[in-house]
Amino acid sequence: MSEKNKLKKSVEIFSKDLEEVFENRKFVVFLCGPTLDIADKNNAAALRKRLKEELEAEDFDVVLGEDDGLEALRKKFSGMAHENELQFIQAHGNAVVLIASSVGSFCELGLFSHQHVHANARKTDFILIMDEKFKDDVSYMNEGPAKAINTFGKLMHCDFSDFDTSALIDRLKTRRHVWFTSGTGAFT
């Protein structure tokens, strides 16, 4: 290595610090949407499955509430689904990605958007993916929960069958870096 390209000792130490942080920490993405069981016949479910796979390939810890044990815990402790998910997000979530396509996900959107704006926006990212057919609707959903997420997170309208995930993944990778290297993450 040439003298010009040689890393300074302080940069080498910083590099080792970053490597250790990225090896020892996980950025938790709570991924909401339709069950993966219908991914072969439902575009929103197929998108959720694809996002799960792509995020995991980028070393994110992706949690699907019902499929990863949250529902079993709710039943074991006689809890309510919405309280159980909110508690998980507050305690362990770094980001919520919600694919709004069904009654259940629209209910989550209403509750999670309120909670995000009033309690989680400083420590948790929120990305909402909605069908492009709702984009121009003058509705409670657009003027309430979707607007809240667009103001304190990110709203993306799309056709679920051909959604380009790259901007979403890039955003979460940047957020992960900031979280790992700031007051919430590694060096405190």
Side-chain angles (χ1 to χ4, degrees):
M1 184 180 322
S2 74
E3 190 63 35
K4 183 177 179 182
N5 293 329
K6 186 176 177 186
L7 293 179
K8 293 191 179 239
K9 186 69 173 170
S10 59
V11 175
E12 285 180 27
I13 293 168
F14 181 65
S15 174
K16 288 177 184 174
D17 289 346
L18 284 177
E19 286 177 24
E20 184 177 318
V21 166
F22 276 78
E23 286 176 11
N24 294 321
R25 292 208 177 256
K26 289 293 178 187
F27 190 95
V28 178
V29 178
F30 189 65
L31 180 57
C32 309
T35 180
L36 300 186
D37 295 341
I38 61 171
D40 60 336
K41 58 187 173 202
N42 179 288
N43 289 334
L47 173 58
R48 187 177 187 212
K49 181 179 180 184
R50 187 165 51 99
L51 270 172
K52 178 185 185 309
E53 292 166 354
E54 290 177 16
L55 287 166
E56 288 175 340
E58 293 290 342
D59 205 27
F60 287 96
D61 184 7
V62 180
V63 175
L64 311 176
E66 71 282 0
D67 295 330
D68 290 329
L70 280 182
E71 179 61 10
L73 286 175
R74 182 197 65 79
K75 288 177 180 177
K76 178 179 179 180
F77 296 106
S78 301
M80 295 178 284
H82 67 291
E83 288 291 330
N84 197 43
E85 289 182 350
L86 285 174
Q87 289 172 359
F88 176 81
I89 292 165
Q90 283 191 309
H92 302 284
N94 301 109
V96 175
V97 176
L98 193 155
I99 302 167
S101 68
S102 65
V103 172
S105 61
F106 291 132
C107 289
E108 286 176 321
L109 171 59
L111 177 64
F112 291 177
S113 67
H114 179 79
Q115 183 71 15
H116 181 71
V117 169
H118 295 283
N120 294 342
R122 291 180 190 245
K123 67 179 191 80
T124 306
D125 197 11
F126 198 122
I127 301 170
L128 171 61
I129 305 170
M130 287 179 47
D131 193 310
E132 62 192 1
K133 70 182 178 186
F134 298 119
K135 186 175 184 174
D136 297 320
D137 285 0
V138 177
S139 65
Y140 182 84
M141 181 172 60
N142 280 340
E143 294 304 317
K147 187 176 188 176
I149 296 308
N150 198 39
T151 303
F152 293 93
K154 180 73 174 168
L155 169 61
M156 300 175 155
H157 288 96
C158 70
D159 176 342
F160 294 135
S161 66
D162 68 356
F163 180 66
D164 180 0
T165 61
S166 60
L168 183 150
I169 292 172
D170 286 346
R171 177 185 176 97
L172 291 177
K173 287 167 64 175
T174 301
R175 295 289 174 132
R176 174 176 59 190
H177 184 272
V178 170
W179 186 80
F180 282 179
T181 60
S182 71
T184 336
F187 300 123
T188 60

